[in-house]
């Protein structure tokens, strides 16, 4: 009896293994990214200037109504609906070092405390303010991937004690940052250069807002949100990108009341998944005066309907916690999406927005990123602004912009000095920023 049972169990175990293997290899084979332009399906983009009932948008005030409609569509079908400002929000200045970086900057650390529904949570904003200009300065706000201490090796910066993805290059083990992780992502954050050009830089570790793994929205800020924002059966739940974007808005809540900051010149930027987040923050929070998407790809600047590189189905299966439940209805079904990403770009209008791609980052579909900026132009035009100055994709390393901009650089999926030079120029141009640095 015992032997028969063991035999049965063994056979069962073996067949489970075979099935698991077959299933995983089928799944692995299932997704073959398309990198061939001739295999991009024919598609028709929804018109940002046509209401859902078919009537046309002819005036800026009609656009305001259509803008709300598009925002609802992105909330309901892509990113989910975010709560607003929490009941209780306080800023605790934990550090204020006036002569940081050899006197170049004032370094501040602000702990942002949020309380709601008898739950509390906090996350830290690291802020560098250039000392030279004797007036409020414009600011770039962006989330970082590896903790505030990864942005610059300065020992004054507090090492995050939150959960992180393990990363050998950044010396992050057992999901904790080590002191060797100081400055590990500094190539993405040329702090001194940004300060030299008269800008402040603010950053928050995204995992302090919501750790980046699929936990059923139990950790990070999610438990503070009312049930309606968490209920996945509603389809438009606030998933992780929504929570990170919500965190960016709390960063803006702080920045707009810091007297050292010019709160009419606040730029939001992000790379990759955090580029998707920066776009969603820019769309939902118009206090961001300028929006920057760096290699944001699928679910960011790239048009979903092109299905080039990463697709909706692929991103939703790799990262089921990034977008709302309803977005999954469009896996392998992009043509039914009520929006596409050019409409996300259009939500920035009339504010400046720029998207950057990298030549080797085909996964993020550079052409799809270009096209979504291009197809946002009619909305900018209606509001008296100019879209891109070109019809076709520009050559490598040649930024093109009016109020909307695009650049593709050499190299791979990254945020680097070249990108920052473009963003600083773009910001100078739009903020009409006379850097009176030498005249003070
Ligand atoms: C990739 C993902 C991209 C992008 C990237 C990142 O794995 O497929 O959509 O978000 O991660 O954020 O680094």
């Amino acid at each position: 009896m015992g032997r028969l049972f063991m035999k049965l169990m063994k056979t069962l175990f073996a067949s489970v293994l075979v099935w698991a293997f077959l299933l995983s290899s089928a799944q692995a084979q299932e997704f073959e990214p398309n990198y061939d332009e001739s295999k991009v399906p024919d598609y028709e983009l929804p018109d940002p200037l046509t209401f859902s009932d078919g009537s046309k948008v002819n005036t800026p005030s009609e656009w305001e109504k259509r803008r709300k409609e598009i925002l609802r569509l992105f909330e309901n079908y892509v990113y989910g609906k975010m709560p607003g400002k929490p009941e209780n929000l306080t800023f605790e200045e934990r550090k204020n070092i006036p002569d940081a970086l050899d006197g170049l900057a004032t370094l501040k650390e602000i702990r942002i405390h949020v309380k709601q529904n008898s739950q509390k949570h906090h996350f830290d904003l690291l802020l560098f303010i250039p000392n030279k200009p004797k007036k409020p300065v414009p600011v770039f706000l962006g989330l970082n991937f590896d903790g505030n201490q990864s942005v610059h090796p300065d020992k004054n910066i507090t090492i995050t004690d939150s959960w992180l993805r393990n990363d050998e290059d950044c010396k992050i083990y057992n999901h904790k940052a080590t002191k060797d992780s100081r400055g590990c992502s500094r190539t993405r954050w040329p702090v001194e250069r940004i300060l030299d050009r008269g800008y402040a830089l603010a950053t928050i570790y995204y995992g302090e807002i919501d750790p980046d793994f699929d936990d059923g929205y139990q950790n990070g800020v999610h438990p503070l949100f009312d049930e309606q924002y968490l209920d996945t059966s509603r389809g438009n739940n606030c998933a992780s990108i929504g929570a990170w974007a919500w965190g960016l808005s709390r960063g803006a809540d702080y920045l707009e009341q810091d007297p050292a900051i010019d709160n009419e010149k606040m730029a939001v930027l992000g790379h990759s998944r955090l580029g998707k987040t920066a776009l969603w923050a820019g769309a939902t929070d118009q206090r961001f005066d300028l929006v920057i998407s760096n290699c944001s790809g699928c679910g960011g600047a790239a048009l979903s309907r092109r299905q080039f590189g990463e697709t909706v189905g692929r991103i939703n299966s790799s990262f089921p916690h990034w977008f709302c439940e309803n977005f999954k209805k469009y896996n392998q079904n992009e043509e039914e999406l009520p929006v596409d990403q050019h409409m996300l770009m259009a939500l920035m209008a009339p504010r400046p927005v720029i998207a950057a791609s990298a030549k080797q980052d085909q996964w993020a579909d550079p052409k799809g990123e270009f096209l979504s900026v291009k197809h946002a132009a009619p909305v900018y035009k209606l509001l008296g602004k100019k879209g891109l100055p070109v019809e076709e994709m520009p050559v490598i390393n040649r930024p093109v912009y009016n109020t909307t901009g695009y650049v593709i650089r050499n190299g791979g999926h990254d945020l680097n000095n070249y990108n920052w030079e473009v963003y600083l120029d773009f910001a100078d141009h739009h903020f009409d920023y006379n850097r009176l640095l030498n005249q003070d």
Side-chain angles (χ1 to χ4, degrees), residues 145 165 271-274 276 295-298 310 315 318-319 322 363 413:
F145 279 91
R165 283 169 308 132
H271 168 61
S272 204
R273 70 198 68 183
L274 302 179
K276 309 179 208 299
C295 299
S296 63
C298 179
E310 187 172 32
I315 205 165
S318 319
F319 306 103
W322 283 3
W363 180 245
H413 188 68

